[in-house]
Amino acid sequence: MPNSSSISEFLLLALADTQQLQLLHFWLLLGIYLAALLGNGLISTAVACHHRLHTPMYFFLLNLALLDLGCISTTLPKAMANALWDTRHISYAGCVAQVFFFLFLLSAEYCILTIMSYDRYVAICKPLHYGTLMDSRACATMAAAAWATGVLYSLLHTANTFSLPLCQGNVVDQFFCEIPHILKLSCSQYFLREFGILLVSVCLAFGCFTFIVVSYVQIFRAVLRMPSEQGWHKAFSTCLPHLAVVSLFLSTGMVAYLKPPSISSPALDLVVSFLYSVVPPVMNPLIYSMRNKELKDALWKLMAKCVLKSVNCPPFSI
């Protein structure tokens, strides 16, 4: 039987059986990828270039957009290349790098989403203390902590996963290197070690989700006491999409990593992984821009400046 030391490459899931369907999948994935690049790129540029958006909320939204760009760029380009060239190969080093960067960006994004809920809680429930609690130093510290947490979390999982002996071949039944499918290749007596780490991760994820839910409960209670219906609309239009993104992000990720093998199937695994790895980076720009007047105005001004070729970004400061 092969072991991890003898494996030089992995075989990813083929999205179709024929080259014509593979090419169709390539064009679909390319369209999705370009939409994510365009949406997140526009948000990043608008926030960086528009001085009115240099606030804590948009600072964290900028971080979210950058993480989304990195996350989708970690998985889709290789899947598109394999579909275009009708191949399934990914090198061992490429698989390790893909797992590391995907987990790093995904976990950092979840931390940023948690911080964003705290930012909304302070803004709505403690407006008089907002300037103190969410000053530039606090925002920079929280963002740095989110990115550092992603790096440490990813290092732990990646090192532990690829230190396991892989004695079940090299076929990964997914369009990118995903830990649950790599664990299926490991020897059964070593599988429990990584599974234990996954359970700890689940506890931490639920802890963050509980914090987010409690924050929004407090926000909704404060909003319902507002006399102005306009205040209700503004608060709910900001908070509900954020809660929807977090719920989709967490629920599909949990299904992907913790579902019993008895209900696993290639089609289900593909759909679930697509929902948590591809859909959020594409949908986040729509969710956070279409329902935000300030951001929409900044995007229109940005596009007008681009037409005139006179974009000049001031230094970002909160």
Side-chain angles (χ1 to χ4, degrees):
M1 290 187 296
N3 55 48
S4 54
S5 63
S6 64
I7 294 176
S8 60
E9 65 180 14
F10 292 95
L11 298 178
L12 299 176
L13 178 70
L15 296 177
D17 298 328
T18 65
Q19 188 172 7
Q20 290 77 10
L21 286 177
Q22 288 278 54
L23 289 175
L24 176 61
H25 282 99
F26 165 76
W27 288 112
L28 288 175
L29 293 177
L30 179 62
I32 293 170
Y33 185 56
L34 291 178
L37 290 182
L38 177 63
N40 288 289
L42 282 174
I43 287 180
S44 301
T45 308
V47 173
C49 294
H50 202 283
H51 69 276
R52 290 186 62 187
L53 301 184
H54 291 184
T55 64
M57 182 177 76
Y58 293 108
F59 171 70
F60 294 124
L61 184 57
L62 171 63
N63 278 264
L64 183 67
L66 293 175
L67 289 167
D68 279 336
L69 282 172
C71 192
I72 200 167
S73 297
T74 301
T75 58
L76 281 196
K78 182 59 180 176
M80 288 189 295
N82 283 355
L84 180 62
W85 301 110
D86 194 21
T87 182
R88 300 171 57 190
H89 301 279
I90 183 171
S91 67
Y92 186 91
C95 189
V96 173
Q98 196 173 64
V99 168
F100 172 78
F101 284 108
F102 182 70
L103 282 180
F104 156 49
L105 295 163
L106 205 67
S107 53
E109 181 170 338
Y110 189 54
C111 291
I112 290 292
L113 289 170
T114 305
I115 294 170
M116 289 173 71
S117 69
Y118 175 71
D119 172 67
R120 292 299 84 207
Y121 164 76
V122 176
I124 294 174
C125 299
K126 299 181 181 294
L128 297 179
H129 302 283
Y130 188 76
T132 303
L133 295 175
M134 301 299 295
D135 61 7
S136 58
R137 183 174 181 179
C139 291
T141 300
M142 286 188 284
W147 288 75
T149 299
V151 171
L152 293 175
Y153 178 82
S154 182
L155 278 174
L156 173 65
H157 271 292
T158 306
N160 190 67
T161 299
F162 288 96
S163 67
L164 300 175
L166 304 180
C167 53
Q168 305 293 329
N170 67 336
V171 179
V172 179
D173 291 326
Q174 189 54 272
F175 71 96
F176 66 98
C177 286
E178 190 181 42
I179 283 184
H181 290 276
I182 296 174
L183 291 180
K184 291 179 181 179
L185 307 179
S186 67
C187 304
S188 58
Q189 64 267 31
Y190 295 97
F191 175 80
L192 292 177
R193 189 174 73 185
E194 175 64 17
F195 188 73
I197 296 178
L198 285 176
L199 285 180
V200 173
S201 303
V202 168
C203 294
L204 294 174
F206 267 119
C208 290
F209 185 69
T210 302
F211 178 85
I212 292 171
V213 170
V214 170
S215 297
Y216 279 116
V217 168
Q218 297 299 320
I219 288 171
F220 294 149
R221 288 177 60 186
V223 167
L224 292 175
R225 290 197 294 266
M226 292 179 179
S228 169
E229 290 187 7
Q230 185 178 0
W232 291 16
H233 176 73
K234 183 176 181 180
F236 281 119
S237 65
T238 302
C239 298
L240 287 178
H242 181 206
L243 192 57
V245 169
V246 173
S247 300
L248 174 67
F249 188 78
L250 183 62
S251 60
T252 53
M254 298 284 282
V255 171
Y257 280 77
L258 294 178
K259 67 181 181 300
S262 58
I263 65 170
S264 180
S265 69
L268 175 63
D269 293 345
L270 184 63
V271 169
V272 169
S273 296
F274 194 85
L275 284 175
Y276 84 87
S277 65
V278 175
V279 172
V282 177
M283 295 303 298
N284 279 344
L286 294 176
I287 289 172
Y288 288 107
S289 63
M290 296 302 292
R291 304 180 67 89
N292 189 304
K293 187 176 184 301
E294 286 184 332
L295 191 53
K296 284 192 289 186
D297 290 343
L299 287 173
W300 281 114
K301 290 179 181 178
L302 174 66
M303 287 187 284
K305 287 182 179 180
C306 286
V307 172
L308 298 174
K309 298 181 180 180
S310 60
V311 176
N312 184 22
C313 299
F316 193 98
S317 60
I318 301 174

